[in-house]
């Protein structure tokens, strides 16, 4: 799920938190860049113990390569820390325009793009599912309030949609958009003045404090930006991060202003992709462009799992013997159930053992399609790792899709892990934006200011969200599998859950996400009541007789070459 948090300065909008700078200002904080890989005993942070595991448990041991599918927005296939760990389809000849492996997807060398069109374009933006459903019901029933039986489930669903979709007037949307455009102009002027004075192209609130000059224009810009930084409530925020948040918020405002003039969101998907969105059997659409221009999110997620370890550049991923298959299905906006279902099936059919799903939404009109794909993954022994969401909600009360509970109430998938976001433990314990749930969130993992790969010229940056916590768990799952390849998905989930640990400094109560200073027991925020712990998971796995474990049924083994360092 895309990393989201409140932005007081941007009218309380929920937008993506992401650093796009090549040189983030981490030197200004005592929190190590790789804190999520560290451990509390040595480093005083709520990390996963990955580095400790490599030093104490894994040294000299041989591992098996593990294929992890990342269903996301795309990946920078040229990034220095990722290009050598990309999955390469061994049965496909690149660029020949032929479906060599006869799987229905032509030239799917590194994965597949379910957002693509035959002409090479891709869907960048899509509407949210609640809005799509709201207008679908309006077109079906004209006036659903009078057309639907008040006792029916459909009417209850319609009421839920009305509660989520508030259609602003065209004037209201346009006024807000124009106001924010003026703010953007002011930010740009301040940026020019301050970067010129500082002789650097990025800065923080702490850096602004050091400015002392008789240039009144610079001082006005300083005070303006200090107020902006203060209103965000974010520690260690850089201007580049704030600017990225604002630009995404502005793009969302623009979409709303355009939608307010029409009866429903524009269907760009139909124009670009051209599939029948209501037919799950119409599945051979898209293209092989898993990179595109929109892959920040997927690139960052992939680096957390698999960025090459020990090559002396950037950062280290969790697993040093892993391949990433990118399955592009997540636009700016809500993903479609059809794309998600087919993306899961594609990953399973092509040998993935773990699937990371850092996305989510509040409505799922074709949940049955996704459920069938989850069941398919379960049958084939594939672990699905999903982000819990970033709205500070209780997932036991508020719907969050996809999820492991089948719509037909037949069962609950046992190959599915839902992940909340924890912080480093020094400033905060649990991310204030993270969703939680004693029945519907399995465990927590590092998800605040996670440093990883970003696209566009071998760059790195930080991002926050359960989107970052999920790949931490996916990476740990793949690490355990690398040394215990015979584990089933259910066994692997059990190991991760049983080895999850309480907060390492002995803290028992934390601030309840989304509830200010309200305290709750940390153990009540998830099923396991704990944090992911790679060190303990590997120790637990070592106690099991995995040589007698069951191989996943009819699973294809993906052929993968060793990762090249550097």
């Amino acid at each position: 799920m895309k990393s989201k948090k409140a932005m007081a300065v941007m009218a309380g909008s929920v937008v993506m938190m992401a650093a796009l700078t090549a040189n983030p200002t981490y030197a200004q904080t005592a929190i190590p860049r790789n804190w999520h890989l560290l451990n509390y005993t040595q480093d005083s942070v709520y990390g996963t113990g990955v580095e400790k595991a490599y030093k104490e448990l894994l040294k000299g041991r041989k591992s098996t390569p593990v294929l992890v599918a990342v269903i996301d927005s795309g990946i920078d296939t040229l990034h220095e820390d990722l290009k050598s760990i990309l999955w390469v389809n061994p049965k496909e000849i690149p660029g020949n325009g032929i479906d060599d492996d006869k799987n229905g997807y032509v030239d799917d060398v590194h994965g597949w793009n379910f957002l693509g069109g035959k002409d090479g374009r891709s869907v960048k933006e899509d509407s949210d599912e609640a809005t799509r459903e709201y207008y679908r019901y309006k077109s079906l029933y004209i006036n659903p309030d009078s057309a639907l039986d008040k006792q029916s489930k459909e009417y209850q669903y319609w009421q839920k949609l009305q509660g989520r979709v508030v259609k602003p007037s065209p004037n209201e949307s346009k006024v807000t958009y124009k106001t924010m455009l003026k703010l953007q102009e002011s930010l740009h002027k301040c940026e020019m003045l301050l970067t010129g004075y500082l002789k650097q192209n990025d800065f923080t609130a702490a850096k602004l404090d050091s400015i002392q000059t008789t240039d009144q224009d610079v001082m006005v810009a300083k005070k303006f930006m200090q107020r902006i930084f203060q209103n965000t409530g974010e520690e260690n925020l850089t201007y580049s991060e704030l600017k990225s948040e604002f630009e995404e918020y502005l793009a969302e405002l623009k979409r709303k202003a355009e939608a307010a003039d029409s009866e429903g969101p524009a269907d760009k998907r139909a124009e670009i992709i051209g599939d029948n969105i209501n037919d799950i059997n119409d599945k051979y659409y898209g293209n092989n462009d898993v990179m595109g221009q929109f892959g920040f999110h997927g690139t960052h997620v992939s680096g957390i799992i698999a960025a090459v370890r020990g090559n002396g550049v950037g950062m280290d991923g969790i697993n040093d013997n892993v391949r990433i298959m990118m399955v592009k299905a997540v636009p700016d906006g809500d993903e479609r159930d059809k794309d998600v279902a087919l993306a899961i099936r594609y990953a399973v059919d092509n040998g993935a053992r773990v699937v990371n799903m850092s996305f989510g939404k509040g409505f799922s009109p074709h949940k049955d399609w996704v459920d069938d794909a989850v069941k398919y993954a379960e049958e084939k022994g594939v672990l699905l790792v999903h982000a819990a969401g970033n709205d500070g909600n209780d997932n036991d009360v508020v719907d969050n899709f996809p999820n492991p509970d089948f719509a037909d109430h037949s069962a609950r998938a046992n190959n599915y892990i839902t992940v909340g976001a924890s912080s480093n433990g020094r400033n905060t314990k649990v991310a204030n934006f993270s969703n939680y749930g004693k029945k519907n969130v399995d465990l927590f993992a590092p998800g605040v200011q996670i440093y990883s790969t970003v696209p566009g010229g071998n760059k790195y940056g930080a991002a926050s969200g359960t989107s970052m916590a999920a790949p931490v768990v996916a990476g740990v799952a793949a690490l355990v599998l690398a040394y215990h390849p015979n584990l089933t998905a259910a066994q692997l989930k059990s190991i991760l859950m049983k080895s999850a640990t309480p907060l390492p400094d002995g803290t028992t109560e934390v601030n309840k996400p989304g509830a200010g200073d309200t305290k709750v027991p940390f153990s009540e925020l998830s099923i396991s009541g704990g944090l992911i712990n790679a060190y303990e998971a590997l120790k637990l796995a070592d106690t099991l007789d995995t040589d007698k474990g069951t191989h996943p049924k009819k699973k294809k083994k993906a052929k993968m070459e060793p990762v090249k360092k550097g």
Side-chain angles (χ1 to χ4, degrees):
M1 181 167 294
K2 294 177 182 176
S3 173
K4 297 177 182 176
K5 51 181 65 182
M7 286 185 63
V9 68
M10 308 309 182
S13 171
V14 177
V15 294
M16 187 172 183
M17 166 67 181
L20 295 174
T21 58
N23 299 296
T25 55
Y26 273 78
Q28 298 177 7
T29 175
I31 307 298
R33 283 179 175 175
N34 66 336
W35 74 265
H36 62 289
L37 304 180
L38 306 180
N39 70 90
Y40 188 78
T41 303
Q42 278 83 35
D43 309 292
S44 301
V45 289
Y46 288 179
T48 57
V50 166
E51 297 299 344
K52 183 181 179 183
Y54 275 107
K55 290 176 183 176
E56 297 183 12
L57 301 178
L58 303 179
K59 194 172 183 179
R61 291 172 61 176
K62 291 184 179 180
S63 62
T64 302
V66 177
L67 181 57
V68 178
V70 175
I71 301 176
D72 217 292
S73 63
I75 187 171
D76 184 351
T77 58
L78 303 178
H79 199 290
E80 62 185 355
D81 246 355
L82 297 176
K83 59 186 178 183
S84 67
I85 56 87
L86 297 177
W87 172 68
V88 177
N89 186 343
K91 297 179 181 179
E92 199 72 31
I93 300 172
N96 68 352
I98 299 171
D99 180 16
D100 300 291
D101 60 1
K102 304 293 190 296
N103 69 351
Y105 302 102
V106 177
D107 286 340
D108 56 327
V109 178
H110 298 305
W112 193 250
N113 173 19
F114 285 99
L115 300 179
K118 293 180 180 178
D119 60 0
R121 291 187 297 163
S122 290
V123 174
K124 180 182 185 294
E125 300 170 349
D126 208 342
S127 51
D128 64 280
E129 195 69 79
T131 300
R132 293 195 291 257
E133 284 292 272
Y134 177 87
Y135 283 104
R136 184 173 73 88
Y137 264 59
K138 289 276 285 185
S139 65
L140 280 173
Y141 301 106
I142 310 301
N143 184 359
D145 283 304
S146 57
L148 291 171
D149 179 359
K150 300 295 189 294
Q151 306 303 316
S152 67
K153 288 184 179 179
E154 271 199 303
Y155 184 73
Q156 293 173 22
Y157 185 68
W158 167 246
Q159 285 187 307
K160 198 180 281 190
L161 287 168
Q162 285 182 298
R164 288 289 293 273
V165 178
V166 179
K167 188 169 185 280
S169 69
N171 284 339
E172 179 188 346
S173 296
K174 289 176 181 177
V175 167
T176 304
Y177 179 55
K178 287 180 180 179
T179 300
M180 292 299 106
L181 282 176
K182 290 179 180 178
L183 177 57
Q184 185 183 44
E185 289 179 14
S186 298
L187 287 171
H188 180 66
K189 289 177 183 177
C190 291
E191 177 187 357
M192 297 293 289
L193 286 164
L194 295 170
T195 55
Y197 176 84
L198 295 168
K199 294 182 172 56
Q200 60 185 63
N201 55 13
D202 200 9
F203 53 85
T204 63
K207 191 68 177 177
L208 293 179
D209 289 340
S210 69
I211 295 177
Q212 297 296 331
T213 178
T214 57
D215 188 323
Q216 291 303 304
D217 287 340
V218 172
M219 292 304 292
V220 169
K222 169 188 171 179
K223 291 178 181 178
F224 178 80
M225 285 306 307
Q226 282 178 321
R227 289 197 299 272
I228 295 290
F229 275 119
Q230 185 177 8
N231 286 340
T232 65
E234 291 291 337
E235 297 179 12
N236 305 317
L237 187 69
T238 68
Y239 175 72
S240 293
E241 293 171 343
L242 186 146
K243 183 178 178 182
S244 174
E245 291 181 349
F246 182 59
E247 287 174 350
E248 185 161 331
Y249 171 58
L250 199 62
E252 178 64 23
L253 280 180
K254 183 180 180 182
R255 288 195 291 270
K256 287 182 178 179
E258 291 171 348
D261 279 332
S262 63
E263 280 302 310
D267 191 0
K268 295 179 182 177
R269 179 196 174 88
E271 173 198 342
I272 294 174
I273 299 177
D275 66 311
N276 181 352
I277 192 62
N278 297 310
D279 183 5
I280 189 64
N281 294 313
D282 178 14
K283 56 186 178 181
Y284 299 116
Y285 59 89
N287 61 42
N288 70 341
D289 179 15
V290 297
M291 184 174 179
Q293 304 172 43
F294 327 117
F296 174 90
H297 199 262
T299 300
H300 199 274
V301 164
S302 298
I304 293 170
I305 299 168
V308 178
R309 292 182 58 84
N311 63 348
V313 300
M315 42 76 65
D316 288 343
I318 291 173
N319 190 341
D320 67 354
N321 199 359
V322 69
R323 295 294 182 276
I324 294 294
M325 173 197 296
M326 176 54 61
V327 192
K328 194 169 174 179
V330 184
D332 289 345
D334 282 347
E335 59 284 347
R336 306 278 183 148
D337 288 341
K338 179 181 177 182
D339 295 338
V340 171
L342 293 178
I344 292 172
R345 287 179 175 273
Y346 177 90
V348 173
D349 285 340
N350 286 281
R353 295 291 308 274
V354 179
V355 178
N356 188 83
M357 305 191 298
S358 289
F359 53 81
K361 57 186 180 180
F363 291 85
S364 182
H366 287 293
K367 179 168 167 52
D368 55 328
W369 293 349
V370 181
D371 285 351
D372 286 344
V374 171
K375 291 175 184 176
Y376 184 65
E378 187 175 28
E379 290 169 4
K380 302 295 184 180
V382 179
L383 184 70
L384 306 178
V385 183
H386 184 236
N390 306 311
D391 302 306
N393 286 337
D394 184 347
N395 281 2
D396 296 349
V397 177
V398 180
D399 287 334
N400 182 53
F401 300 103
N403 59 49
D405 293 308
F406 300 135
D408 61 7
H409 306 293
S410 60
R412 185 177 230 204
N414 64 12
N415 65 325
Y416 200 105
I417 295 182
T418 304
V419 185
S422 57
S423 190
N424 55 58
R426 293 191 190 174
N427 302 320
T428 56
K429 314 290 184 181
V430 174
N432 60 8
F433 56 79
S434 181
N435 289 1
Y436 57 93
K438 186 60 178 173
K439 297 179 181 177
N440 289 305
V441 172
D442 291 293
L443 44 69
F444 277 72
V448 175
Q449 288 290 286
I450 306 300
Y451 186 68
S452 185
T453 47
V454 299
N458 300 325
K459 294 181 180 180
Y460 301 84
S464 299
T466 57
S467 280
M468 284 65 247
V472 169
V473 173
V476 172
L479 185 62
V480 174
L481 270 182
Y483 292 89
H484 300 278
N486 294 333
L487 288 172
T488 65
Q491 288 173 330
L492 181 57
K493 176 181 177 178
S494 177
I495 287 169
L496 298 180
M497 294 285 284
K498 288 180 179 178
S499 61
T501 56
L503 300 182
D505 60 359
T507 299
T508 57
E509 290 197 332
V510 297
N511 289 344
K512 185 178 181 180
D517 295 329
T518 302
K519 298 285 187 181
V520 295
F522 177 63
S523 60
E524 293 301 307
L525 297 181
S526 68
I527 297 170
S528 70
L531 299 173
I532 189 76
N533 191 316
Y535 184 84
E536 294 298 330
L538 284 160
K539 280 177 60 180
L540 180 57
D542 284 344
T543 67
L544 301 177
D545 186 9
T546 56
D547 287 338
K548 296 180 181 179
T550 304
H551 285 280
K553 285 192 255 178
K554 300 180 182 178
K555 279 295 284 119
K556 295 179 182 178
K557 289 187 178 180
K559 184 179 179 182
M560 293 175 276
E561 299 298 326
V563 173
K564 295 178 181 178
K565 307 285 184 183

